[in-house]
Amino acid sequence: MKDFNGKILFLDRNDINTDEIIPAKYLTEITKDALKPYLLEDLNMEGFDSESDLPGKKVIVTRENFGCGSSREHAPWALEVNDINIVIAENFARIFRQNMFNCGMMAVPLEKNQIEKLFSTFSGKETELKTDFAGSKFTFTTGTESLEVPFEISDFDRSLVEAGGWVDFADKNY
Amino acid sequence: MGKTIAQKIFDSHRVDNPSGDINVIKLDAVFCHEITTPIAINDLKSRGKYRVFDKNKIKAVIDHVTPSKDSKTAEQAKIMREWARDLDLKDFFDVGQNGVCHALFPEKGYVRPGYTIIMGDSHTCTHGAFGAFAAGVGTTDLEVGILKGVCAFKSPETLKVELTGTRAKGVYAKDIILHVISQLGVNGATDHVIEFDGSVIADLSMEERMTLCNMAIEAGGTCGICPPDETTVDYLWPFIKDGYSSKDEALKDYSQWMSDSDAEYSKVLKLDISKLEPVTTFGFKPDQVKNVTDMKKAPVDQVYIGSCTNGRIEDLRAAAAVLKGRKLNSSVRGILAPATPKVYREAVKEGIIDIFMDAGFCVTNPTCGACLGMSNGVLAEGEVCASTTNRNFNGRMGKGGMVHLMSPASAAAAGIAGYITDPRAYLD
């Protein structure tokens, strides 16, 4: 199973699309590793600088409709090769969300007010996420402040995370 | 309680229900192109699973960058080519025969009502125009599709878009779908199938229905679906005539893929399009839509006519009607990419290519081309394109570039005027 813990990158925007996560011009690459330097290169968000804001971050927390647009699995892969295996948002575009679980990664939805609380409490501070996968619980921590948030994913998504992705699961079961 | 088209298709294709509302469904076709498939091929190879579930049900094309533009795209094409040869795929389209996947595959008769189709391309929803369930997926789903002929989806909730009224002159399927997306929002149909219905749909050609379904994903939809009818049967007849004694018999068979009158929809959006005018997008999201007349003559540097949305013969005819006897404004460059070799050939025969070339357009080979900024026609920083494509994300057609989505007639009109304008002024 992948690692779902670490420092959080807060992206305060809706509708962050797949072209912003990884521009099409890099889709000529045929290895995942080659995508590493280009993650969020074209993200259109004031105050964001991928070179200084990304290093060391293992988790993304963002607003609604993350990953809309293209079917390119290069978007989760660009996250994966940067050791970001989990995105938490109000909701996700379908294909992106499925791609994440298909890779054994997690795209976890939380209620709008919970996301708002995460932004208001932790954004702009150095915040760590700890994921209790079996207990379906996140713990957000900054300094002495800590917040526990339960999460829900389907049994199917859970089995994909445990299997390490859809290929092995499907080949075993169908 | 009755069922929607999508529910009927799922019920007839379900092989498993691993948890909750997750369905593993059997696939009738898996479509492949050279951007998302080579990694799947390489991964299958590395897992010792270099095989396909059915060599007749996998259709492959090189379309996004073709002919190859550099060593990397040449390598992607080579992987596809060798795979198609090694595994003896029945249908593979390489340079000389290739065109934009979502225009080429329907043209070849590969889509039927009731089919389930996946492809590693978000605009796979186009094929729902035939009453099929067709969805874009990532490379891992594609890989499993190639290997096992199955894919997993949530149970399809259906959002019905009922279109009534009379279409005004100069208003095309592209204007209708942009209007629908502006009403739904970019995630208004996430995890939903959008079923298009109403008197307007009944009057649309298959090409127009494909334009409509093509952009279902721009509202987050899994698939756009039109109910199969006489128009569907007429389009498919050359491919199905050996299987049916008459068109009526085919229609009767296909009617099993119509929604029941008491089917349950999660939402119904009713739109009367009688007052709809030619529209365009104005921002970096496809739901930011305005009338072209409200664009204050926004200047454009490039016009692009082509793509899986609007590169078919009817689209070229609509643009040619505006361009005939006119020239591009000296400040604008025009690019035409007919979607398939068949479209290109028909456009030559009808004199449409001459009209475009006389107007000053560059005519390229069939390809996805400028649409996603991977190949020819990329914009420079600060440049603006009037485009018949489907996506206007920031930097989509080139870093720092701006794309306005519109109908072929509106794009042609923008090319002549040098700014976004009403195409009706150029129509007889």
Side-chain angles (χ1 to χ4, degrees):
Chain A
M1 232 170 60
K2 292 189 180 300
D3 183 11
F4 303 114
N5 305 292
K7 287 199 180 83
I8 300 173
L9 171 66
F10 285 90
L11 297 177
D12 193 2
R13 225 202 70 192
N14 294 333
D15 307 315
I16 292 178
N17 65 60
T18 46
D19 283 60
E20 293 177 300
I21 299 169
I22 185 78
K25 62 185 172 188
Y26 301 121
L27 307 191
T28 58
E29 302 294 346
I30 51 169
T31 66
K32 294 181 182 181
D33 283 331
L35 304 172
K36 192 168 181 179
Y38 311 121
L39 177 64
L40 297 171
E41 184 181 272
D42 277 354
L43 179 60
N44 190 18
M45 197 180 94
E46 211 182 313
F48 176 77
D49 178 352
S50 62
E51 277 183 28
S52 58
D53 293 346
L54 267 175
K57 303 297 186 342
K58 308 283 183 207
V59 177
I60 287 176
V61 173
T62 182
R63 300 284 185 173
E64 66 171 52
N65 198 30
F66 187 81
C68 57
S70 169
S71 65
R72 64 187 71 156
E73 202 160 302
H74 305 69
W77 295 336
L79 295 168
E80 184 184 15
V81 295
N82 280 283
D83 295 325
I84 298 173
N85 296 317
I86 176 165
V87 180
I88 299 168
E90 283 173 36
N91 48 53
F92 298 88
R94 180 192 64 84
I95 306 174
F96 175 84
R97 184 192 159 283
Q98 194 61 50
N99 286 346
M100 288 287 281
F101 284 104
N102 282 349
C103 291
M105 300 162 76
M106 289 218 285
V108 183
L110 291 180
E111 292 293 327
K112 190 182 178 76
N113 59 2
Q114 287 175 312
I115 292 286
E116 181 52 46
K117 187 162 186 197
L118 294 180
F119 270 93
S120 61
T121 314
F122 299 109
S123 180
K125 299 171 192 165
E126 191 152 295
T127 306
E128 291 260 355
L129 175 80
K130 252 189 123 162
T131 300
D132 175 358
F133 182 76
S136 297
K137 196 172 67 182
F138 292 135
T139 308
F140 297 84
T141 309
T142 181
T144 54
E145 200 163 3
S146 186
L147 179 70
E148 270 191 12
V149 180
F151 69 85
E152 269 182 54
I153 58 171
S154 75
D155 292 344
F156 180 65
D157 291 339
R158 189 170 283 278
S159 55
L160 294 184
V161 172
E162 285 167 344
W166 172 225
V167 177
D168 287 336
F169 183 91
D171 204 22
K172 200 175 99 195
N173 290 284
Y174 304 109
Chain B
M1 184 55 71
K3 291 176 186 171
T4 63
I5 302 173
Q7 284 168 337
K8 289 183 179 183
I9 294 175
F10 268 54
D11 285 351
S12 62
H13 288 75
R14 191 178 292 105
V15 293
D16 193 15
N17 174 221
S19 85
D21 64 349
I22 305 295
N23 306 271
V24 175
I25 58 169
K26 189 174 64 161
L27 300 170
D28 294 306
V30 176
F31 294 162
C32 300
H33 67 57
E34 88 286 8
I35 300 301
T36 51
T37 314
I39 296 190
I41 294 169
N42 282 348
D43 193 57
L44 287 170
K45 247 186 191 167
S46 71
R47 291 172 188 266
K49 301 177 195 296
Y50 192 53
R51 56 181 196 267
V52 296
F53 83 105
D54 186 334
K55 66 180 183 178
N56 298 319
K57 291 183 177 174
I58 294 180
K59 316 289 180 186
V61 64
I62 296 173
D63 64 353
H64 276 56
V65 186
T66 184
S68 301
K69 65 169 180 166
D70 56 16
S71 302
K72 285 182 176 174
T73 51
E75 185 63 27
Q76 289 181 308
K78 188 180 170 202
I79 293 169
M80 289 285 284
R81 217 169 268 138
E82 289 179 350
W83 172 65
R85 190 189 58 210
D86 290 351
L87 300 181
D88 194 25
L89 296 190
K90 185 164 161 276
D91 300 294
F92 170 60
F93 301 92
D94 205 336
V95 178
Q97 283 80 48
N98 55 357
V100 181
C101 51
H102 310 305
L104 184 73
F105 293 148
E107 206 177 70
K108 298 286 180 189
Y110 295 159
V111 191
R112 305 289 160 76
Y115 265 25
T116 53
I117 299 169
I118 62 164
M119 182 176 196
D121 190 287
S122 62
H123 294 105
T124 306
C125 48
T126 311
H127 307 281
F130 292 83
F133 175 81
V137 297
T139 290
T140 302
D141 272 334
L142 181 74
E143 198 172 324
V144 170
I146 288 169
L147 185 67
K148 310 296 283 189
V150 299
C151 195
F153 289 96
K154 278 190 184 177
S155 294
E157 284 194 72
T158 301
L159 188 163
K160 184 168 170 173
V161 175
E162 206 172 303
L163 297 163
T164 56
T166 313
R167 223 185 336 163
K169 187 178 156 188
V171 172
Y172 300 87
K174 183 62 157 289
D175 298 296
I176 297 172
I177 188 60
L178 286 172
H179 179 58
V180 169
I181 294 165
S182 76
Q183 301 299 301
L184 291 174
V186 287
N187 62 348
T190 300
D191 277 322
H192 282 68
V193 168
I194 303 176
E195 186 176 314
F196 296 101
D197 206 353
S199 56
V200 172
I201 303 303
D203 287 341
L204 294 183
S205 68
M206 286 314 297
E207 302 209 336
E208 291 173 307
R209 293 178 195 184
M210 284 189 254
T211 299
L212 221 57
C213 292
N214 175 269
M215 293 191 70
I217 182 69
E218 308 308 332
T222 305
C223 181
I225 281 188
C226 296
D229 61 7
E230 290 92 345
T231 306
T232 322
V233 172
D234 285 343
Y235 184 99
L236 289 174
W237 189 243
F239 311 105
I240 59 172
K241 59 179 192 287
D242 293 342
Y244 297 101
S245 62
S246 67
K247 287 186 177 178
D248 282 346
E249 195 195 34
L251 185 60
K252 200 176 159 204
D253 182 22
Y254 289 165
S255 68
Q256 67 180 296
W257 307 113
M258 305 274 282
S259 291
D260 294 327
S261 55
D262 58 346
E264 197 175 351
Y265 295 93
S266 59
K267 190 178 166 188
V268 178
L269 176 66
K270 291 186 181 186
L271 295 171
D272 181 338
I273 62 154
S274 301
K275 287 187 178 155
L276 185 63
E277 294 187 27
V279 295
T280 175
T281 59
F282 61 92
F284 293 124
K285 295 200 298 172
D287 62 354
Q288 295 173 295
V289 175
K290 271 185 189 176
N291 289 340
V292 289
T293 50
D294 292 334
M295 287 299 289
K296 297 184 178 146
K297 300 187 175 180
V300 303
D301 303 289
Q302 176 169 300
V303 170
Y304 186 76
I305 295 179
S307 85
C308 55
T309 324
N310 284 120
R312 297 181 182 83
I313 190 69
E314 287 180 9
D315 303 312
L316 273 53
R317 286 180 191 138
V322 170
L323 293 171
K324 191 169 186 178
R326 300 189 173 98
K327 290 200 179 304
L328 285 170
N329 188 284
S330 58
S331 64
V332 182
R333 56 188 187 269
I335 301 169
L336 165 67
T340 68
K342 183 170 180 244
V343 171
Y344 201 149
R345 204 181 282 265
E346 283 175 356
V348 169
K349 278 188 190 158
E350 293 180 22
I352 288 171
I353 297 296
D354 279 339
I355 292 171
F356 272 90
M357 292 186 79
D358 288 345
F361 269 77
C362 158
V363 182
T364 79
N365 62 301
T367 174
C368 300
C371 175
L372 75 168
M374 281 192 81
S375 176
N376 52 15
V378 170
L379 299 174
E381 184 91 29
E383 286 191 327
V384 176
C385 184
S387 179
T388 68
T389 56
N390 44 40
R391 206 162 264 166
N392 57 346
F393 294 162
N394 180 37
R396 170 83 175 171
M397 204 178 271
K399 197 175 177 79
M402 172 96 188
V403 175
H404 295 283
L405 307 175
M406 60 187 77
S407 75
S410 293
I416 295 163
Y419 50 79
I420 296 174
T421 190
D422 195 333
R424 291 172 294 190
Y426 299 98
L427 293 170
D428 295 330

